[in-house]
């Protein structure tokens, strides 16, 4: 309870020496990150790779292995002897630390990925030998969302925007966007809204029109044609009424919004493995009517999400997409393939430039192989929006873009679902990230100058370290063991939570011993609570 907390300043964290997470570029293996591409020119909000509907499916895997293979991970060097371990310390005192703003969840949509299925996978040794022959796709420059401020546009872009606005105004004056017959039209200009924003009424229109211009490489006439088609489709699909309907929550575990990335883009998570549930799969895709309802749900999800974006020239109007490919079904599922194709066609034709970044996690090697095959057909702009991360690199990759207090616990962060149990920590409580170097010990000191109860939680991404905690009073020659040193395996609980009641001044010492040859990401946070008599 907030009113029970003593008047202590928020904690301040000082590092000695300073630690910074090293940014690693796409290494040559399937588990590592790859900056890459969207599969459609228009960058639909939920990018997904659509397999060409060629048959038969069975020989495809063999073709992929011939076309692209991926190097296996480099074996780790043996850890240094125990006596060579070095200790590093991080001191924490109770002074100021900024708290991040609470992020509001947004709704979004789903695009189902495609997977190549084969009757029998090759033996592991044969796969590794084949993968090691060639390298994964090379890194390219990462995509950055362009500014929508007029002052940041080039001269040619400003001219194209002004020309586009003039053509749109002319179309509104002549009621060219209307589906009514000439006898039903009036002399007044037509009023048209898209994503809840009326065209040419304020600066938000510039942002909307720039999306269509960028989708068509600033070719004004092509952009106008795309806009007209989108407006007509929205009327036929009755989008403005669709967003008011109650379509149920059966798919809330498949697609959900959680927090924002470090640049402020709302984050949408797409968990395709949920469709391994046969009951859910049949309920969603079994027949044409169910697939139609799925499509309506998907568009509703997207529309509700978009209407919460900021269409002002300096606002956030794109979404950060995370697509979890673990256990995802593939093109062998005919019903899913049909639904995906229908949805992707609508997304690419009517929702341009809504992706800030598309990160694929838990990526199997076949997905990178397939990407290598389609890469020559993709634009550089499109490629730069994709990031691939295999299972061993999922948490490390996401933490580059998303703060740990906002990253769900199942993906390497410390964010848990809100519930009536009122968890001790929320997204308001900042997390400290520290890199624990190979073959080193890291000590975090939490120094407290008043009677209180200290509560903390801690995780090391992928564990394989030893963790211990103790309390050391200032004026006594002993230490109180809070947690005996314990080796933490990757299969252990992802987060360690603990507390300690302090009746005399001193400090809490949290020790991480990393004997491995790999650096580890340490995440922790703590709270000062009232002393309980």
């Amino acid at each position: 309870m907030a009113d029970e907390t003593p008047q202590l300043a928020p904690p301040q964290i000082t590092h000695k020496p300073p630690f910074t997470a090293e940014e690693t570029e796409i290494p040559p293996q399937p588990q590592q990150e790859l900056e890459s591409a969207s599969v459609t020119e228009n960058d639909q909000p939920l990018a997904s790779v659509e397999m060409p509907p060629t048959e038969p499916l069975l020989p495809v895997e063999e073709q992929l292995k011939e076309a692209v293979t991926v190097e296996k991970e480099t074996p780790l060097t043996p850890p240094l002897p125990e006596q060579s371990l070095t200790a590093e310390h991080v001191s924490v005192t109770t002074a100021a630390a900024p708290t991040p703003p609470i992020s509001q969840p947004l709704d979004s949509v789903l695009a189902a990925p495609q997977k190549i299925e084969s009757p029998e996978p090759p033996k592991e040794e044969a796969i590794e030998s084949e993968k090691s022959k060639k390298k994964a796709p090379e890194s390219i420059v990462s995509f950055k969302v362009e500014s929508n401020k007029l002052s940041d546009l080039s001269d040619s872009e400003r001219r194209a925007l002004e020309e586009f606005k003039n053509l749109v105004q002319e179309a509104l004056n002549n009621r060219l966007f209307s589906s009514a017959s000439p006898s039903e039209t009036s002399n007044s200009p037509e009023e048209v809204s898209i994503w809840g924003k009326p065209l040419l009424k304020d600066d938000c229109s510039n942002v909307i029109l720039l999306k269509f211009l960028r989708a068509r490489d600033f070719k004004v006439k092509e952009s106008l044609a795309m806009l007209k088609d989108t407006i007509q489709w929205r009327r036929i699909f009755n989008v403005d009424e669709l967003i008011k309907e109650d379509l149920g929550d059966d798919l809330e575990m498949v697609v959900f919004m959680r927090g924002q990335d470090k640049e402020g883009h709302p984050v949408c998570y797409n968990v395709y493995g949920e469709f391994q549930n046969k009951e859910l799969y049949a309920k969603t895709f079994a027949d044409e009517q169910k697939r139609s309802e799925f499509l309506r749900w998907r568009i509703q999800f997207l529309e509700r999400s978009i209407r919460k974006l900021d269409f002002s020239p300096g606002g956030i109007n794109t979404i950060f997409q995370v697509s979890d490919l673990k256990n995802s079904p593939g093109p062998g599922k005919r019903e899913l393939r049909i639904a995906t194709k229908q949805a992707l066609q609508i997304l690419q034709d009517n929702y341009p430039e809504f992706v800030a970044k598309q990160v694929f996690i838990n990526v199997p090697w076949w997905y990178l192989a397939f990407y290598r095959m389609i890469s020559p057909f993709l634009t550089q702009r499109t490629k730069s929006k994709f990031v691939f991360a295999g299972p061993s690199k999922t948490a490390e990759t996401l933490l580059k873009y998303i703060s740990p207090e906002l990253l769900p616990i199942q993906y390497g962060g410390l964010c848990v679902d809100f519930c009536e149990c009122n968890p001790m920590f929320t997204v308001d409580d900042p997390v400290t990230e520290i890199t624990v170097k190979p073959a080193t010990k890291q000590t975090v000191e939490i120094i407290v100058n008043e009677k209180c109860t200290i509560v903390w939680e801690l995780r090391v991404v992928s564990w394989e370290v030893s963790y211990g905690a103790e309390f050391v009073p200032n004026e006594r020659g002993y230490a109180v063991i809070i947690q005996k040193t314990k080796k933490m395996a990757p299969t252990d609980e992802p987060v360690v939570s603990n507390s300690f009641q302090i009746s005399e001044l001193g400090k809490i010492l949290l020790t991480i011993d990393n004997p491995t040859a790999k650096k580890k990401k340490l995440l922790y946070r703590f709270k000062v609570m009232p002393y309980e008599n």
Side-chain angles (χ1 to χ4, degrees):
M1 298 290 293
D3 55 351
E4 297 176 349
T5 306
Q7 297 301 314
L8 295 177
Q12 180 179 16
I13 300 164
T14 58
H15 292 185
K16 186 175 74 174
F19 297 92
T20 58
E22 296 179 10
E23 187 95 4
T24 56
E25 293 297 329
I26 305 141
Q29 58 253 23
Q31 288 83 10
Q32 296 169 325
E33 178 184 317
L34 168 66
E35 296 286 353
S36 169
S38 167
V39 296
T40 64
E41 250 184 352
N42 301 333
D43 300 314
Q44 63 271 23
L46 290 171
S48 173
V49 176
E50 172 71 8
M51 279 291 296
T54 55
E55 298 292 345
L57 290 174
L58 296 183
V60 173
E61 185 175 13
E62 296 301 323
Q63 298 173 18
L64 288 178
K65 286 189 288 184
E66 291 295 325
V68 173
T69 52
V70 188
E71 288 187 350
K72 63 186 291 187
E73 273 190 50
T74 306
L76 297 175
T77 56
L80 299 177
E82 181 67 25
Q83 60 268 27
S84 68
L85 295 178
T86 60
E88 300 185 74
H89 298 266
V90 176
S91 299
V92 180
T93 57
T94 54
T99 58
I102 300 177
S103 61
Q104 297 296 330
L106 299 176
D107 295 319
S108 188
V109 295
L110 165 70
Q114 302 291 320
K115 179 178 179 180
I116 299 165
E117 296 181 350
S118 60
E120 292 292 337
K123 293 182 179 179
E124 183 177 353
E125 295 80 2
I127 293 176
E128 295 297 341
S129 175
E130 188 69 20
K131 290 179 187 178
S132 64
K133 293 180 181 179
K134 298 182 181 179
K135 294 184 178 181
E138 296 179 359
S139 170
I140 57 177
V141 178
S142 177
F143 171 79
K144 296 293 183 183
V145 177
E146 295 95 339
S147 171
N148 291 309
K149 296 179 180 180
L150 291 178
S151 58
D152 294 333
L153 300 178
S154 67
D155 291 341
S156 62
E157 290 172 342
R158 280 196 295 270
R159 288 194 298 270
L161 177 60
E162 286 304 314
E163 182 183 351
F164 193 17
K165 291 170 67 175
N166 291 334
L167 291 179
V168 171
Q169 185 63 67
E170 182 181 345
L172 291 173
N173 292 339
N174 296 325
R175 307 185 69 85
L176 298 181
F177 292 121
S178 175
S179 58
S181 62
S183 60
E184 297 174 319
T185 61
S186 65
N187 294 326
S188 61
E190 185 178 11
E191 292 187 2
V192 174
S193 293
I194 183 169
W195 304 311
K197 304 295 181 183
L199 285 179
L200 301 186
K201 294 295 184 180
D202 53 34
D203 288 345
C204 293
S205 291
N206 288 344
V207 177
I208 292 173
L209 297 182
L210 281 169
K211 288 181 179 293
F212 286 90
L213 283 170
R214 289 183 172 121
R216 292 294 181 261
D217 295 325
F218 283 86
K219 297 175 182 177
V220 177
K221 292 184 178 180
E222 293 182 16
S223 301
L224 180 63
M226 183 183 184
L227 177 62
K228 290 176 64 176
D229 290 344
T230 295
I231 292 171
Q232 291 175 8
W233 170 82
R234 294 176 66 84
R235 284 178 172 155
I236 294 172
F237 210 82
N238 202 11
V239 172
D240 291 333
E241 293 300 318
L242 173 63
I243 62 173
K244 303 174 186 177
E245 296 184 29
D246 182 5
L247 300 182
D249 56 4
D250 293 338
L251 298 172
E252 63 180 2
M253 298 301 294
V254 179
V255 179
F256 59 91
M257 303 298 296
R258 184 71 53 79
Q260 59 193 26
D261 70 0
K262 293 179 180 179
E263 296 181 353
H265 303 101
V267 181
C268 176
Y269 295 87
N270 307 275
V271 188
Y272 304 131
E274 293 291 332
F275 284 125
Q276 291 288 353
N277 182 317
K278 294 182 179 179
E279 182 179 350
L280 178 62
Y281 182 89
K283 189 175 182 180
T284 309
F285 302 115
D287 55 44
E288 185 61 35
Q289 181 178 353
K290 289 183 173 60
R291 291 193 292 272
S292 176
E293 286 301 311
F294 164 73
L295 188 60
R296 287 167 51 78
W297 169 86
R298 181 174 177 172
I299 298 305
Q300 182 194 72
F301 227 41
L302 176 58
E303 282 288 326
R304 288 177 173 178
S305 172
I306 288 176
R307 290 176 188 235
K308 294 178 182 179
L309 298 176
D310 183 358
F311 282 91
S312 63
I316 300 296
N317 53 75
T318 54
I319 299 171
F320 187 101
Q321 295 287 340
V322 177
S323 297
D324 186 357
L325 301 183
K326 185 177 181 180
N327 298 326
S328 59
K333 302 285 189 180
R334 177 181 176 274
E335 303 85 2
L336 177 60
R337 188 168 69 246
I338 294 172
T340 300
K341 183 176 181 180
Q342 292 173 338
L344 286 177
Q345 190 66 51
I346 290 177
L347 294 175
Q348 71 176 358
D349 290 345
N350 302 288
Y351 294 92
E353 298 294 321
F354 277 104
V355 172
K357 182 73 71 176
Q358 176 75 57
V359 180
F360 291 92
I361 60 175
N362 293 312
V363 178
W365 71 269
W366 60 261
Y367 206 90
L368 289 181
F370 173 64
Y371 164 74
R372 189 62 174 257
M373 290 183 65
I374 67 171
S375 179
F377 306 100
L378 304 173
T379 66
Q380 192 77 353
R381 173 187 176 83
T382 306
K383 291 178 183 180
S384 63
K385 291 190 178 184
F386 265 20
V387 175
F388 293 122
S392 68
K393 291 292 182 179
T394 286
E396 178 183 333
T397 299
L398 290 178
L399 285 169
K400 289 183 180 180
Y401 302 103
I402 305 171
S403 299
E405 60 267 24
L406 299 176
L407 182 64
I409 193 169
Q410 63 267 35
Y411 294 125
L414 291 177
C415 180
V416 297
D417 292 328
F418 295 108
C419 62
E420 295 180 357
C421 61
N422 189 23
M424 186 64 65
F425 293 97
T426 70
V427 294
D428 286 328
D429 300 305
V431 176
T432 299
E433 298 181 55
I434 299 173
T435 298
V436 185
K437 297 177 182 178
T440 63
K441 289 183 179 179
Q442 185 79 58
T443 300
V444 175
E445 296 182 356
I446 305 175
I447 301 173
V448 183
N449 298 317
E450 185 175 337
K451 287 185 177 181
C452 63
T453 299
I454 294 290
V455 181
W456 69 89
E457 63 179 6
L458 169 149
R459 82 177 297 170
V460 176
V461 178
S462 78
W463 285 119
E464 298 180 289
V465 301
S466 295
Y467 159 72
E470 61 182 10
F471 171 68
V472 180
N474 288 345
E475 299 179 357
R476 298 177 184 268
Y478 66 88
V480 179
I481 302 299
I482 301 173
Q483 166 69 60
K484 291 183 178 180
T485 301
K486 177 185 177 182
K487 186 174 181 180
M488 307 296 295
T491 54
D492 290 335
E493 288 293 324
V495 178
V496 171
S497 300
N498 214 331
S499 65
F500 188 74
Q501 185 166 288
I502 298 176
S503 58
E504 54 186 319
L505 304 186
K507 57 187 176 183
I508 301 289
L509 300 180
L510 310 177
T511 304
I512 300 296
D513 182 354
N514 177 20
T516 72
K518 298 175 64 176
K519 65 181 180 181
K520 299 288 184 178
K521 180 78 70 176
L522 165 64
L523 310 174
Y524 75 91
R525 57 183 168 182
F526 71 93
K527 274 187 174 180
V528 178
M529 307 295 291
Y531 181 81
E532 299 179 3
N533 293 322

